[in-house]
Amino acid sequence: MHGPASPGWLLVALCAATGAYCLLRMRSDVEEQRRTAGGEALMGFGMAAMAVPAAVFTPPPWAWAAYAAVFGAAALRALWAARTSAHHLHHLVGASAMVYMAVVMATSPGHHGGGSGIPVLTGALLLYFMGYVLLSGVRLAPVTAGGGTVAWGDRPEVARACRLSMGIAMVAMLATL
């Protein structure tokens, strides 16, 4: 992504940590949680890879097409899963945003310029993810456990915090596009 190296590395660390926790959530006994966690792990690690500062590593030209293909497939999977759960619509928007960012990065490897302002699709995605972040922040109020010990992979408040951090990372990535 375009932008300074220090925030880029922080974004890489945040997204990679989120992806790692989502892998842990894939060990849950709840099938729907495992399925959702897999998609979120893909998003976390994909966002971490995309956020590596360009001054440190410039991906080969074919990498952006690979990102677009992987997240295009994830978008199709989310579209199929949205038949049973509206939560997957958010995954559809997220995967589609990743495809969009990969296409933009492939077509303009340098900084955007020209003073033409924010493209309409980028602005719409920014508004969506800013709203998602605000709503997720409100919903992050602690969830009381119903007795017994809950495994780290099954803690709903940590899963919400991961989704919130990925939403914040998406806003940061879209803002630097």
Side-chain angles (χ1 to χ4, degrees):
M1 296 303 304
H2 307 302
S6 294
W9 284 117
L10 291 173
L11 197 58
V12 168
L14 175 70
C15 293
T18 300
Y21 177 73
C22 290
L23 285 179
L24 179 64
R25 286 182 40 227
M26 288 180 68
R27 298 176 58 193
S28 172
D29 292 333
V30 181
E31 181 181 344
E32 181 60 25
Q33 182 170 317
R34 284 193 310 267
R35 190 175 309 125
T36 300
E40 290 172 354
L42 175 67
M43 285 295 286
F45 289 126
M47 290 170 68
M50 266 188 165
V52 172
V56 175
F57 175 72
T58 302
W62 58 264
W64 300 116
Y67 281 129
V70 166
F71 286 103
L76 289 174
R77 184 176 183 279
L79 180 62
W80 181 256
R83 296 173 304 120
T84 58
S85 172
H87 175 73
H88 293 285
L89 291 174
H90 172 70
H91 290 175
L92 174 63
V93 173
S96 299
M98 293 293 283
V99 170
Y100 171 68
M101 288 189 290
V103 169
V104 169
M105 295 300 289
T107 58
S108 87
H111 289 289
H112 283 265
S116 60
I118 296 175
V120 174
L121 184 53
T122 303
L125 288 169
L126 274 168
L127 286 174
Y128 172 81
F129 282 104
M130 283 190 282
Y132 179 80
V133 164
L134 292 173
L135 187 60
S136 294
V138 169
R139 291 181 178 166
L140 195 56
V143 177
T144 59
T149 304
V150 179
W152 274 102
D154 291 329
R155 297 187 61 137
E157 69 275 11
V158 181
R160 287 186 190 122
C162 284
R163 290 183 193 117
L164 174 64
S165 64
M166 281 196 289
I168 292 169
M170 188 66 79
V171 169
M173 290 173 75
L174 285 165
T176 60
L177 195 58

